[in-house]
């Protein structure tokens, strides 16, 4: 049949196929705070397929009506868009809740029956997205049960929350389970940082602007600093955090992904494999020069925004002698032509002075400033600062002459605030990622080999840590981390960026 | 002091006053937005701008041609601030220039020095342009995109011919075309059944209906008769008597929404150009 001449140039966004989204762990915080508000915002913008349904699955005993009421409250509280009954009701009409333990045969059948009913009444055509918002320990069981009941009609995809595994061995084991039932292009491993607009803007900044690429290398860049700082504590997640620590919670995924995106070569296009191939090359080339180049820490008591907060070991559910890391700083190298010998200093932590995720590219100093020495005191190297959150945007620190006689130089910041230039609301990461999964676009999800490379680095660090016993706690809540982290840079004649 | 220097001075003062309110301010612009609004159109133009400025931080230059033989420019410059929600404010600049006599015939002389360098300039022309006027010719030459709403024109379909004459000089948008987008999507969804359509019945404004029918003709490469019943917006569309369904979606866009969408478009639209040319025939 001839191509549709009417469809040309309509500029209409690709619509996802009809489908049902099955959320395992639907009674959890993620569903309330992120997933349902994201679905509402997609509905608000008419981005969901016409024929769409949501099945919430969890052990909590409640009816569909009660679940919908709870989600209505959640949307009102957490969605970025104003609440509109007509939009919510349209979405809610396709919502079902199945209270069950999915590992039971009976539970699986009830979920299956509900999906069949939705195929009939909502026209979801046998297409399924399974969202695993369950504790990591439940991943293998749920994947196996979904896989065994996979239907022949329609497509089936699975979205898996981080962390994907606990170390390289468990990640490989989980991958093997997943691979039994799903092809790689049906697996969407979420690292929600990749759904953030500013993380994507990093690629726009690098690859849509001719001025940056020529200076984005070891010749011009002195070093890179990446900070993922949180001011909050563990928020009642002691069970998870005691096992994970910051190294598995943040470093293994968000932080290493930010390094990969900062250091990667330009992909030939913006397709899933092209982008992920380049990231994997960086991850493979990445290493830390030795145990002394990695610092771990744990917060003690301190003050956050005028309030005294307890130390990690005093948090409910935490072992009073816990050796879990809540802070990590590391010097990493990417051994390739572009970055050889250029350090990437990265740090992440809980209960730090403020919430901030930034990537700072510090350039080499001007080789010979022709000003008097005294006037040169204010001369600092140029820094391109990418604010991932909050205040999403980009700043460039440049030297400028102070008005008046003489030639005094001061560093000033040129700011581009993302929300200032583009006043359309910035979508939440989960909106983008859920929509992409519906469309089958895995560009902003991590691939199996990426995850494995990330675990290799983490395993090497954890292996070295097992040989010593640090003195914890070693930094006060509300500070910028342990003194050893400062020493890590001082040894190289550098310091962490001043906040 | 010339009018441009006076405007710049007023803006600088206004920015200083804004900064004195202790909120950190950002001066962020994505374009210069020139609006040609004769006095009869001024209230509507201001209403649309009020709903638009926050979405598109810009320098807006409102050109108001007024009666009077003596050449003159009356300038007002203000700064508007919008909270970004994080304790900062974004500043947008609005320059209102009332032009009379020669100044109204040569607006580019004042617009050109006020354009923000390196950013696109959009010109929203309110009402039907005087196609032969020097003012239109000059603004077409200094701006990157001309935005009209042909439903504001008394002279259609002839006006589409005049508009088409500008296509090689400037990218053009028509809000009447933009309003028809959901219907074009719905009609495209009828392919291939619509391939041999003979009759389109539209209940809606004349311009919107004409452009919809012309698009269908130009895309199908066949004559499609148009029947129309008047309405303020497109209420219904039928193809050979069969109703076309619009998906159950949120309500119709506001005038600000429509203009906002056009201000995000930078390149020429060959489909619109073909439809406008077909409508002119």
């Amino acid at each position: 049949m001839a191509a549709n001449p009417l469809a040309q140039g309509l500029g209409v966004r690709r619509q996802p196929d009809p489908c049902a989204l099955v959320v395992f762990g639907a009674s959890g915080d993620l569903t309330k705070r992120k997933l349902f508000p994201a679905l509402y915002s997609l509905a608000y913008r008419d981005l969901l397929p016409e024929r769409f349904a949501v099945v919430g699955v969890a052990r909590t005993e409640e009816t569909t009506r009660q679940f919908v009421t709870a989600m209505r409250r959640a949307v009102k509280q957490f969605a970025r868009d104003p609440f509109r009954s007509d939009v919510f009701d349209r979405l809610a009409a396709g919502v079902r809740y199945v209270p069950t333990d999915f590992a039971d045969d009976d539970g699986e059948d009830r979920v299956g029956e509900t999906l069949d009913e939705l195929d009939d009444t909502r026209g979801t055509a046998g297409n399924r997205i399974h969202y695993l918002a369950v504790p990591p320990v439940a991943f293998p069981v749920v994947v196996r049960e979904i896989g065994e009941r996979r239907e022949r009609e329609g497509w089936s995809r699975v979205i898996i929350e981080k962390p994907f595994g606990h170390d390289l061995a468990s990640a490989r084991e989980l991958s093997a389970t997943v691979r039994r039932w799903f092809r790689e292009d049906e697996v969407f491993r979420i690292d929600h940082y990749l759904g953030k607009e500013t993380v994507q803007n990093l690629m726009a900044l690098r690859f849509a602007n001719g001025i940056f690429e020529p200076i984005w290398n070891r010749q011009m860049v002195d070093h890179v600093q990446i900070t993922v700082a949180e001011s909050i504590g563990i928020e009642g997640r002691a069970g998870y955090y005691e096992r994970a620590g910051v190294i598995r919670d943040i470093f293994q995924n968000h932080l290493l992904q930010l390094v990969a995106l900062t250091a990667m070569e330009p992909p030939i296009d913006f397709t899933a494999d092209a982008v992920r191939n380049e990231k994997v090359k960086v991850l493979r080339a990445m290493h830390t020069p030795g145990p002394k180049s990695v610092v771990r820490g744990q917060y003690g008591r301190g003050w956050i925004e005028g309030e005294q907060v307890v130390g990690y070991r005093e948090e409910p559910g935490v072992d009073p002698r816990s050796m879990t890391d809540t802070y990590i700083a590391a010097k990493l190298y990417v051994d390739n032509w572009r970055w050889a010998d250029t350090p990437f200093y990265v740090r992440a932590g809980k209960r730090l002075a403020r919430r901030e995720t930034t990537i700072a590219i510090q350039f080499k100093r001007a080789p010979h400033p022709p000003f008097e020495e005294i006037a040169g005191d204010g001369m600092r190297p140029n820094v391109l600062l990418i604010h991932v959150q909050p205040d999403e945007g980009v700043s460039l620190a440049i030297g400028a002459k102070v008005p008046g006689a003489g030639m005094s130089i001061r560093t000033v910041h040129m700011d581009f605030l993302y929300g200032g230039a583009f006043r359309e609301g910035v979508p939440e990461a989960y909106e983008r990622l859920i929509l992409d999964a519906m469309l089958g676009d895995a560009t902003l999800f991590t691939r199996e080999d990426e995850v494995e490379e990330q675990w290799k680095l983490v395993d090497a660090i954890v292996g070295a840590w097992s040989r010593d016993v640090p003195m914890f706690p070693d930094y006060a809540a509300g500070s910028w981390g342990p003194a050893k982290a400062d020493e890590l840079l001082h040894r190289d004649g550098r310091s962490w960026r001043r906040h | 002091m010339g009018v441009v220097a006076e405007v710049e001075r007023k803006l600088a003062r206004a920015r200083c006053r804004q900064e004195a309110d202790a909120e950190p301010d950002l001066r962020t612009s994505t374009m210069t937005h020139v609006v040609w609004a004769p006095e009869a159109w001024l209230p509507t133009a201001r209403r649309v701008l009020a709903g638009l400025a926050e979405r598109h931080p810009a320098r807006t230059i409102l050109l108001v041609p007024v009666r009077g033989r003596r050449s003159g420019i009356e300038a007002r410059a203000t700064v508007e601030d919008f909270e970004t929600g994080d304790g900062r404010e974004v500043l947008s600049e609005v320059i209102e220039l009332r032009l009379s006599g020669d100044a109204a015939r040569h607006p580019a002389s004042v617009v050109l020095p006020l354009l923000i360098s390196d950013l696109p300039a959009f010109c929203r022309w309110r009402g039907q342009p005087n196609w032969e006027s020097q003012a239109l010719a000059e603004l077409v030459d200094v701006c990157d995109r001309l935005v009209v709403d042909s439903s504001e024109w008394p002279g259609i379909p002839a006006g589409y011919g005049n508009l088409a004459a500008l296509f090689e000089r400037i990218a053009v948008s028509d809000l009447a075309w933009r309003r028809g987008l959901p219907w074009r999507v719905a009609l495209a969804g009828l392919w291939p059944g619509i391939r041999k359509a003979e009759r389109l019945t539209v209940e809606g404004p004349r311009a919107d209906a004409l452009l919809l029918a012309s698009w269908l003709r130009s895309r199908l490469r066949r004559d499609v008769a148009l029947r129309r019943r008047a309405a303020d917006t497109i209420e219904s569309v039928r193809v050979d008597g069969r109703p076309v369904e619009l998906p159950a979606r949120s309500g119709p866009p506001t005038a600000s929404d429509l203009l906002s969408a056009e201000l995000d478009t930078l390149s020429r639209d060959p489909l619109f150009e073909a439809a406008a040319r077909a409508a002119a025939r």
Side-chain angles (χ1 to χ4, degrees):
Chain A
M1 190 198 301
N4 181 355
L6 302 180
Q8 192 191 326
L10 288 178
V12 178
R13 211 184 283 261
R14 210 179 120 207
Q15 281 277 336
D17 295 337
C19 63
L21 175 69
V22 189
V23 182
F24 296 94
S27 59
D29 242 21
L30 183 71
T31 311
K32 283 195 201 84
R33 286 174 179 268
K34 297 292 180 189
L35 302 187
F36 232 89
L39 289 172
Y40 171 80
S41 288
L42 291 171
Y44 191 90
R45 287 170 181 73
D46 296 327
L47 295 173
L48 291 176
E50 277 288 295
R51 290 176 286 154
F52 178 68
V54 182
V55 180
V57 183
R59 286 183 190 159
T60 309
E61 273 301 330
E62 60 181 342
T63 63
T64 292
R65 184 190 284 258
Q66 287 168 323
F67 180 70
V68 167
T69 305
M71 292 306 114
R72 182 187 292 267
R73 268 200 306 273
V75 165
K76 283 179 179 170
Q77 192 178 351
F78 298 115
R80 68 182 173 108
D81 296 305
F83 186 80
R84 269 180 41 193
S85 287
D86 59 325
V87 174
F88 183 83
D89 292 346
R90 210 165 62 223
L91 178 62
V95 173
R96 306 285 185 274
Y97 180 78
V98 182
T100 184
D101 183 345
F102 191 69
D104 294 347
D105 281 350
D106 178 46
E108 295 156 30
D109 292 343
R110 287 168 64 196
V111 173
E113 283 161 17
T114 306
L115 285 166
D116 290 344
E117 179 259 311
L118 287 167
D119 283 345
D120 292 340
T121 58
R122 305 282 301 176
T124 43
N127 296 327
R128 317 272 187 253
I129 298 188
H130 305 94
Y131 198 117
L132 274 56
V134 291
V137 67
F139 288 169
V141 176
V142 180
V143 168
R144 190 185 63 232
E145 298 299 338
I146 297 167
E148 282 178 354
R149 276 177 169 61
R150 190 171 172 164
E151 293 172 32
R152 290 206 180 147
E153 254 181 55
W155 46 252
S156 189
R157 296 174 190 147
V158 58
I159 301 177
I160 303 180
E161 271 288 334
K162 71 154 182 96
F164 194 87
H166 185 74
D167 52 20
L168 180 60
S170 60
R172 281 182 170 159
E173 201 177 314
L174 181 55
S175 288
T177 307
V178 171
R179 226 181 297 118
R180 266 188 75 195
W181 308 105
F182 295 93
R183 298 189 310 268
E184 178 60 34
D185 66 340
E186 295 171 325
V187 183
F188 295 77
R189 296 173 193 82
I190 273 203
D191 181 335
H192 75 266
Y193 258 54
L194 298 182
K196 286 181 180 287
E197 284 286 316
T198 29
V199 172
Q200 294 161 52
N201 193 39
L202 172 59
M203 285 189 271
L205 185 82
R206 289 193 55 196
F207 306 132
N209 295 288
I211 60 167
F212 293 120
E213 221 27 44
I215 56 172
W216 208 269
N217 54 46
R218 64 191 300 274
Q219 279 81 29
M220 305 302 287
V221 174
D222 180 74
H223 71 277
V224 177
Q225 289 186 21
I226 301 182
T227 301
V228 181
E230 294 177 285
S231 59
I232 56 170
I234 55 170
E235 307 287 290
R237 296 188 306 150
Y240 160 72
Y241 208 84
E242 276 283 87
R243 275 175 52 79
V246 72
I247 194 166
R248 294 182 179 87
D249 187 43
I250 302 286
F251 180 89
Q252 184 269 343
N253 36 76
H254 301 332
L255 231 169
L256 293 184
Q257 282 291 323
L258 291 181
V259 177
L261 288 166
T262 305
M264 70 193 249
E265 295 297 314
I268 54 164
D269 54 33
F270 198 60
T271 54
D273 275 336
V275 172
R276 297 190 296 183
N277 286 345
E278 297 306 334
K279 283 196 291 169
V280 165
K281 285 183 203 165
V282 173
L283 292 165
R284 281 194 186 132
M286 198 186 297
H287 74 96
T288 176
K292 285 191 176 167
S293 297
V294 183
V295 168
R296 58 175 155 162
Q298 187 191 78
Y299 64 86
R301 284 185 179 201
W303 293 82
I304 301 263
E305 294 180 17
E307 280 187 23
Q308 193 170 27
V309 295
V310 298
Y312 177 72
R313 290 175 174 180
E314 301 165 276
E315 298 273 12
V318 170
D319 179 349
R321 288 175 300 174
S322 172
M323 295 305 292
T324 300
D325 45 289
T326 62
Y327 179 94
I328 185 169
K331 177 161 77 169
L332 303 173
Y333 283 110
V334 178
D335 284 342
N336 62 16
W337 192 270
R338 186 190 286 261
W339 293 114
D341 302 328
T342 309
F344 283 68
Y345 299 104
V346 300
R347 58 180 166 169
K350 290 250 176 228
R351 284 286 189 221
L352 297 180
R354 70 158 183 251
R355 172 176 170 253
E356 175 188 307
T357 301
T358 49
I359 300 165
I361 315 290
Q362 182 156 325
F363 294 93
K364 291 185 174 169
R365 286 176 185 273
H368 176 69
F371 310 117
E372 290 174 39
E373 209 168 296
I374 189 163
D377 282 355
M379 286 191 58
R380 293 167 183 277
N382 298 115
V383 178
L384 182 71
L385 186 61
I386 298 151
H387 307 262
V388 176
Q389 67 181 17
D391 300 339
E392 293 89 341
V394 179
S395 305
L396 180 64
I398 54 171
K401 180 184 175 301
V402 178
M407 190 49 109
S408 187
I409 307 294
R410 281 271 298 276
T411 297
V412 294
H413 272 225
M414 291 199 302
D415 289 334
F416 155 69
L417 187 66
Y418 208 64
F422 302 106
R423 304 285 290 138
E424 302 295 328
V426 175
E428 285 287 323
Y430 280 92
E431 285 171 45
R432 173 67 194 260
L433 295 173
I434 291 172
L435 186 63
D436 280 3
M438 286 183 194
L439 291 165
D441 181 352
T443 308
L444 301 177
F445 295 82
T446 46
R447 204 169 55 188
E448 183 181 337
D449 50 355
E450 277 180 87
V451 173
E452 288 194 3
E453 292 300 332
Q454 291 170 187
W455 278 123
K456 280 180 193 167
L457 186 64
V458 168
D459 280 4
I461 293 171
V462 171
W465 282 355
S466 65
R467 292 193 286 274
D468 75 315
V469 182
M471 295 287 287
F472 280 170
D474 58 355
Y475 70 97
S479 70
W480 276 108
K484 283 178 295 179
D486 294 333
E487 289 159 20
L488 176 70
L489 270 74
H490 290 164
R491 283 203 295 271
D492 296 345
R494 299 185 177 99
S495 57
W496 291 107
R497 204 171 52 76
R498 208 175 57 189
H499 294 269
Chain B
M1 185 187 293
V3 69
V4 171
E6 187 193 333
V7 165
E8 297 281 15
R9 191 171 51 94
K10 282 181 179 170
L11 288 174
R13 279 188 187 163
R15 282 196 297 269
C16 286
R17 272 199 301 275
Q18 291 286 344
E19 279 159 17
D21 69 1
E23 298 286 349
D25 291 326
L26 294 167
R27 191 176 158 213
T28 307
S29 296
T30 53
M31 68 177 128
T32 307
H33 182 194
V34 180
V35 183
W36 179 269
E39 278 186 294
W41 287 101
L42 204 48
T44 324
R46 285 197 178 121
R47 261 200 312 278
V48 172
L49 286 175
L52 186 75
E54 189 173 354
R55 279 184 266 181
H56 292 273
R59 172 175 283 186
T60 300
I61 305 173
L62 194 55
L63 301 172
V64 188
V66 293
R67 285 174 188 276
R69 297 178 68 179
R70 204 169 143 208
S71 184
I73 302 175
E74 229 178 86
R76 241 182 88 206
T78 53
V79 165
E80 292 177 9
D81 57 350
F82 304 100
E83 287 185 15
T84 61
D86 54 6
R88 299 197 209 194
E89 291 175 341
V90 175
L91 302 182
S92 274
E93 299 164 336
V94 181
I95 301 163
E96 187 171 321
L97 301 170
R98 300 176 81 84
L99 311 168
S100 59
D102 278 347
R105 283 186 286 278
H106 297 283
S109 64
V110 65
V111 167
L112 204 52
L114 289 172
L115 294 178
I116 302 179
S117 315
D118 306 319
L119 292 180
F122 290 75
C123 177
R124 167 73 170 103
W125 194 287
R126 281 283 176 177
Q128 177 160 324
N130 175 354
W131 302 105
E132 307 301 325
S133 72
Q134 180 67 21
L136 176 67
E138 286 190 5
L139 290 180
V140 161
D141 286 342
V142 300
C143 292
D144 301 293
R145 189 172 198 91
L146 175 68
V147 183
V148 297
D149 185 343
S150 56
S151 70
E152 295 171 352
W153 304 350
I156 50 172
Y160 291 122
N162 299 107
L163 191 66
L166 300 177
F167 290 161
E168 294 305 320
R169 292 170 60 192
I170 188 169
V172 177
S173 302
D174 185 344
L175 299 183
W177 168 255
R178 170 67 65 170
R179 276 193 298 272
L181 178 61
W183 293 100
R184 294 199 298 278
V185 173
L187 288 167
L190 300 180
W191 181 265
I194 196 173
R195 195 162 32 174
K196 301 222 167 121
E198 292 184 342
R199 197 175 70 248
L200 188 72
T201 310
V202 179
E203 187 181 355
R206 188 163 180 231
D208 300 36
L210 267 174
L211 287 172
L212 196 60
S214 305
W215 165 75
L216 202 55
R217 285 176 202 136
S218 64
R219 299 311 298 161
L220 296 179
R221 296 171 190 266
R222 59 182 282 120
D223 193 30
V224 180
L226 170 66
R227 285 185 192 168
R228 186 182 78 91
R229 265 186 302 170
D232 288 341
T233 57
I234 301 184
E235 299 288 347
S236 68
V237 173
R238 288 169 178 271
V239 177
D240 295 333
R242 284 189 302 279
V244 176
E245 296 288 331
L246 268 192
R249 296 299 194 198
S250 32
T254 64
S256 300
D257 293 337
L258 288 168
L259 184 53
S260 175
E262 288 304 332
L263 298 182
D264 283 330
T265 311
L266 298 173
S267 55
R268 285 174 66 169
D269 180 350
L271 295 178
F272 164 67
E273 291 180 3
R277 284 195 177 100
R281 278 183 217 125

